[in-house]
Amino acid sequence: MSENVSYTNVHRAFLQACSNHGTLSTSQAFNMYVAICAQHDDSHSIPSEADLASVIEAINERIYRFDQKIALVHYDPTDMDFYVFVSLQESPIDLQQNVFTAPELHFFRVLLRELALSEDHTLALIACLNLTNDTASEGMKPLAKTRAEQLLQEWEQLGYFLTLDDKCYLGPKAVVEFEKYISRNYADVVTRCCLCNVTIFYGVKCASCPQILHKDCMKKYLRRLTNCPACKTLWSVPL
Amino acid sequence: MPRPSQSQSQRSSTADRPNATQEVDEAHLITCMVKTILNLSINKSIIKRSDISHIALKGDSRLYTRLMPEVLFELESVYGYQLVDVESKGQKAMILCSTFETSSLDELSESYRRRYTFLFLILGYIFMKNGAVPEALLWDFLHSVGIEEQQEHECFGDPRKQFELFIKQAYLTRTKQSVEGMPEESVFLSWGVRAKHEVSKKAVLDAICKLMNRKPTDFKTQYIETQAETSESVEDDMDESE
């Protein structure tokens, strides 16, 4: 625990905002940090990105105990970096919660399942909405399509899914929070990036072999070496 | 039905071992209580003491009383949250509030921003009407600014649904009052416990003034209340820094 760094309302306000948003782009996060400093920081020093990094580090030290973390991830589909507020041990889906009803949670799990099983881990938006047919159970009506649309929007805001060109992707928050869940339950259809060993859904594909790798992992790797880490042929795909 | 969380099944095996240290157990239970309170408060709804006891402590209410001070400490020191008691049909209930106000809208996501704007309209109207207003009059006011009770609004969605959510979240509260000349009691709306804790009267007055193109000082009673609010929070800040 870093004793000489004080933990102030700047930390608390940023933590609250992070958990409310679920997912923040790095620029959103920094703008928010500046606004929070304006409100809470009495020293009125100009905030820098390095300051934000150490604020997040201090927050993570304290929320680790509650199985939470603010993680910085590179999201390959949009080639952007995001701060994601995650609950580490279990997903919010499995914990006691009172936000979504049982059919709505079921719809979420069905979406996860279909995205995990699809080869490129995307699903046409129309197909997503049709998945509501799967949510009928024990004589209860299936989820209405309008409600499904609303839910998808809500979940996209939080970072669980992303819609791009009428296709649905796993969002940055789902990629981090559900990595273990998906690799456990769908082990035979998901692969790992052979450089970082984390389950990979989206990335760059080698021109000569079926391997996909995280763009960030490949960038670091290509600083020292020039071949595909899996098939060893010369790497030709521009990053 | 949601599956019990992994921490609950871990806890039952710990309780079966009589030589597990009490300290470790208590720290773990405190963690469970904090997590439960946070999870149940994701949508800001009113949470019951009995729920926390049941979910995090397997119903042991003595533990609840003993561990709560530490739980409150963690919530405040790590997250800047406090638990505020609310009246709920005779049961011990509370809401999780921030210890400071959200002033900058940048901190909010788009959907939150819209909800807050709608909320500020309602709170502002009640504030201008000196704290309590018959529910029917509120909808008349909203109609005058283009928000219909039964119609989907392009910015605010379903106004009725959003309104009922604000009541659930303790931003607004309904009370029954008898009005002279009326045979039945009328339902009045006023600021709920959460609004009193989290929403700044000054911010609301500023928003209303912007809407009506007036100055805050035009509304003497309300302006004086906002000034009283500022001096209260200065005292709080001074207490905190000691």
Side-chain angles (χ1 to χ4, degrees), chain A residues 129-180:
Chain A
L129 295 176
N130 285 338
L131 288 175
T132 54
N133 300 331
D134 275 25
T135 63
S137 66
E138 288 166 35
M140 283 182 64
K141 281 190 298 184
L143 211 57
K145 292 239 180 357
T146 42
R147 180 62 185 145
E149 259 181 312
Q150 273 177 349
L151 284 173
L152 265 177
Q153 276 177 14
E154 262 186 65
W155 289 332
E156 183 162 349
Q157 276 247 308
L158 290 168
Y160 284 114
F161 302 108
L162 177 74
T163 320
L164 267 180
D165 301 324
D166 285 326
K167 282 205 287 192
C168 182
Y169 292 70
L170 290 167
K173 189 158 153 80
V175 163
V176 179
E177 272 192 8
F178 289 93
E179 187 256 322
K180 286 203 173 60

Side-chain angles (χ1 to χ4, degrees), chain B residues 104-121:
Chain B
S104 163
L105 290 182
D106 289 332
E107 289 164 45
L108 304 171
S109 60
E110 180 63 37
S111 61
Y112 269 98
R113 215 169 306 177
R114 291 190 191 172
R115 275 179 240 173
Y116 259 74
T117 308
F118 185 41
L119 176 67
F120 269 41
L121 275 176

Side-chain angles (χ1 to χ4, degrees), chain A residues 7 12 16 21 67-68 90, chain B residues 6 35 77-80 107:
Chain A
Y7 190 82
R12 297 181 187 108
Q16 285 187 20
H21 275 85
D67 299 320
Q68 295 176 334
E90 301 266 25
Chain B
Q6 204 178 45
K35 283 168 81 169
S77 65
V78 176
Y79 296 90
E107 289 164 45

